[in-house]
């Protein structure tokens, strides 16, 4: 890796361990900035939601980060990105320009955990939708395309309804156009709903296995799709206390979703916003049948979030035979010593992993094979020997 001009990080080049990389440093020294720089290319944006101009160092006009990646097949891939304060953004793969951020999704597979990841269980539905959308987009380009098209169509519909409510348009002008957008939304919503259903079903078994390993108590962990559309809800049945989710035929589902969306268009025109669709979906995370968002302790929800994030890497490997790079930023807080030890063993077994912590006590006595230890002081990263 080579970097220059990224936040407070000093210009440098590094060669990392293919297994475990431990990054030590006090809070505020640059550990999280370093992980952010490594992870940026996989998303085409900051995982922290930072604006691009905020990533450029105070004394720099631009930044550049270059990565050399070895894929599962042994093929080496060159990844580069550059940003400048004026808003310029450049991505390259093996020297070729990548024009759209969507084309980066899945090329460099990573999974990130930080203290905010607990919101995957406890936070707003958008947190869980984003988690599923990112995971499904990594394994299915058609899902990513449908999601992109749906968001574009929803934006157009939102604009029409807003203009209608503010009096810039009258109902006669927009009814036919709204119906056309509803047909487009129904077509893409079909792919999204079925994709989310599929992903939830694929994620639950490995999440349960990870959760059982971390807790050692045999508790089941389920990740259940809770669609907002009644069309999807009616296909959910219950059997022997466990949820069985039965996907309908795609053409039938699309027609039914259109009918449901278009049926309430009059109410949407009155309220000035869309009222139906997968943008309102949610997912339930439960342990032994208890909704952890409601009943889970801080430690239980953190363990569940870690399990789901690790399970996402298992789904990716099952679908694409790719092991993602794991980034753990302050992951051990609020985990007891035994769960910390189990997580360390799980993380080091199959993946390249970067673990950032301010507390050496978190890793006392842990010496996995091929581990490299890095120290960050005032943005300067150096390898401990």
């Amino acid at each position: 890796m080579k970097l220059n001009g990224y936040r407070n990080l000093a210009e440098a080049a590094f060669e990392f361990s293919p297994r475990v990389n431990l990054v030590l440093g006090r809070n505020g020294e640059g550990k999280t900035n370093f992980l952010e720089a490594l992870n940026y290319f996989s998303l085409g944006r900051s995982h922290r939601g930072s604006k691009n101009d905020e990533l450029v160092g105070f004394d720099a006009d631009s930044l550049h980060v270059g990565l050399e990646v070895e894929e599962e097949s042994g093929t080496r891939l060159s990844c580069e990105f550059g940003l400048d304060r004026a808003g310029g953004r450049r991505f390259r793969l093996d020297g070729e320009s990548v024009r759209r951020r969507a084309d980066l999704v899945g090329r460099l597979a990573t999974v990130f955990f930080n203290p905010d990841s607990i919101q995957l269980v406890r936070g707003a539905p958008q947190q869980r939708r984003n988690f599923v959308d990112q995971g499904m987009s990594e394994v299915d380009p058609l899902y990513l395309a449908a999601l992109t098209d749906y968001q574009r169509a929803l934006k157009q519909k939102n604009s029409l309804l807003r203009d209608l409510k503010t009096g810039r348009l009258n109902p006669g002008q927009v009814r036919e156009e709204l119906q056309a957008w509803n047909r487009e939304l129904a077509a893409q919503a079909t792919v999204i709903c079925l994709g989310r259903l599929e992903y939830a079903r694929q994620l639950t078994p490995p999440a349960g296995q990870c959760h059982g390993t971390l807790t050692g108590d045999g508790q089941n962990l389920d990740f259940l799709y809770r669609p907002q559309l009644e069309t999807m809800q009616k296909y959910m049945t219950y059997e022997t206390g466990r949820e069985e989710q039965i996907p309908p035929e795609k053409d039938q589902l699309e027609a039914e979703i259109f009918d449901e969306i278009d049926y309430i268009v009059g109410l949407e025109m009155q309220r000035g916003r869309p009222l139906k669709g997968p943008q309102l979906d949610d997912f339930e995370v439960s342990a032994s049948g208890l909704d952890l968002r409601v009943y889970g302790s801080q430690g239980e929800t953190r363990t569940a979030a870690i399990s789901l994030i690790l399970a996402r890497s298992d789904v990716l490997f099952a679908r694409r035979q790719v092991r993602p790079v794991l980034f753990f930023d302050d992951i051990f807080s609020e985990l007891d010593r035994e769960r910390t030890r189990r997580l360390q063993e799980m993380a080091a077994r199959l993946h390249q992993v970067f673990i950032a912590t301010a507390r050496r006590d978190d890793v006392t006595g842990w010496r996995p094979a091929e581990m490299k230890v890095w120290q960050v002081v005032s943005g300067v990263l150096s390898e401990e020997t």
Side-chain angles (χ1 to χ4, degrees):
M1 175 192 187
K2 296 181 180 179
L3 63 81
N4 180 28
Y6 199 99
R7 290 197 188 260
N8 75 322
L9 299 176
E11 180 178 358
F14 313 99
E15 185 173 342
F16 302 113
S17 167
R19 306 306 307 161
V20 179
N21 295 273
L22 181 62
V23 185
L24 301 170
R26 294 177 302 178
N27 293 332
E29 299 289 345
K31 301 187 307 298
T32 299
N33 293 344
F34 176 66
L35 297 189
E36 179 186 45
L38 277 170
N39 190 53
Y40 186 97
F41 191 90
S42 68
L43 302 176
R45 59 175 174 80
S46 164
H47 74 276
R48 299 151 84 180
S50 300
K51 297 178 181 178
N52 286 334
D53 62 347
E54 296 172 351
L55 308 182
V56 181
F58 289 127
D59 58 351
D61 295 321
S62 62
L63 66 83
H64 179 265
V65 176
L67 303 172
E68 291 289 333
V69 180
E70 184 172 335
E71 299 182 310
E72 295 281 332
S73 63
T75 303
R76 298 190 71 84
L77 183 67
S78 173
C79 310
E80 301 175 71
F81 69 91
L83 307 172
D84 60 55
R85 291 197 184 279
R89 183 174 62 180
R90 301 166 300 281
F91 297 99
R92 290 184 179 275
L93 278 172
D94 283 338
E96 297 292 327
S97 294
V98 179
R99 299 189 180 278
R100 300 186 308 161
R101 188 172 68 85
D103 293 333
L104 298 175
V105 176
R107 294 302 304 270
L108 181 58
T110 64
V111 174
F112 207 104
F113 182 95
N114 62 20
D116 292 336
S117 297
I118 194 173
Q119 297 304 316
L120 175 58
V121 178
R122 284 192 155 177
Q126 183 178 353
Q127 303 276 348
R128 290 175 287 280
R129 289 196 300 269
N130 289 346
F131 172 75
V132 171
D133 288 343
Q134 185 177 343
M136 192 63 187
S137 294
E138 288 175 337
V139 300
D140 187 352
L142 295 179
Y143 183 90
L144 176 59
L147 188 64
T148 302
D149 290 344
Y150 185 88
Q151 291 168 344
R152 175 185 56 81
L154 186 63
K155 183 178 180 180
Q156 293 295 326
K157 181 177 177 178
N158 256 318
S159 179
L160 278 174
L161 292 171
R162 188 169 54 249
D163 288 347
L164 179 65
K165 188 173 179 62
T166 58
R168 297 177 61 185
L169 297 172
N170 63 65
Q173 289 177 288
V174 302
R175 179 62 183 94
E176 186 174 340
E177 190 170 354
L178 283 172
Q179 186 176 63
W181 284 119
N182 284 342
R183 291 194 184 280
E184 173 69 10
L185 288 168
Q188 307 309 331
T190 303
V191 178
I192 293 169
C193 290
L194 291 178
R196 288 176 175 175
L197 174 60
E198 176 188 357
Y199 195 78
R201 296 179 69 179
Q202 291 181 340
L203 192 74
T204 289
Q209 185 175 10
C210 291
H211 190 261
T213 300
L214 286 174
T215 62
D217 59 12
Q219 275 192 328
N220 294 316
L221 186 71
D222 292 296
F223 189 72
L224 305 173
Y225 182 33
R226 299 300 190 211
Q228 188 257 359
L229 287 167
E230 294 177 13
T231 301
M232 286 297 297
Q233 292 173 15
K234 75 179 184 180
Y235 290 102
M236 305 298 177
T237 62
Y238 291 83
E239 182 178 323
T240 63
R242 299 280 292 175
E243 186 175 51
E244 296 294 331
Q245 299 175 321
I246 306 170
E249 293 294 327
K250 183 176 181 299
D251 291 345
Q252 176 189 351
L253 181 61
E254 181 177 336
E256 292 181 6
I257 288 177
F258 170 75
D259 288 342
E260 181 175 350
I261 292 175
D262 205 56
Y263 180 75
I264 63 165
V265 73
L267 185 59
E268 291 180 327
M269 292 167 72
Q270 291 176 18
R271 297 191 180 180
R273 58 185 175 87
L275 300 173
K276 288 283 185 178
Q279 75 275 11
L280 301 172
D281 283 348
D282 199 358
F283 297 82
E284 178 187 318
V285 184
S286 64
S288 295
L290 293 178
D291 186 346
L292 292 179
R293 186 180 183 187
V294 180
Y295 299 105
S297 67
Q298 190 85 351
E300 288 170 334
T301 52
R302 179 174 289 266
T303 301
I306 293 170
S307 301
L308 290 169
I309 289 170
L310 290 174
R312 180 177 146 197
S313 71
D314 291 334
V315 173
L316 180 60
F317 183 76
R319 294 283 293 267
R320 292 181 47 206
Q321 297 299 295
V322 171
R323 296 269 182 209
V325 179
L326 304 182
F327 294 98
F328 292 155
D329 188 5
D330 192 24
I331 192 172
F332 301 124
S333 62
E334 298 184 42
L335 293 180
D336 59 38
R337 179 63 63 183
E338 183 60 25
R339 292 190 186 189
T340 295
R341 182 189 62 78
R342 290 171 179 170
L343 176 58
Q344 289 168 345
E345 292 177 355
M346 291 170 63
R349 190 176 302 131
L350 298 172
H351 300 267
Q352 184 181 31
V353 58
F354 290 81
I355 299 175
T357 182
R359 299 173 298 275
R360 283 185 180 269
D361 288 349
D362 288 339
V363 292
T364 298
W366 185 44
R367 289 294 180 268
E370 301 183 71
M371 181 170 75
K372 285 189 175 184
V373 180
W374 306 84
Q375 182 77 31
V376 183
V377 179
S378 299
V380 177
L381 189 77
S382 58
E383 184 180 358
E384 289 192 356
T385 57

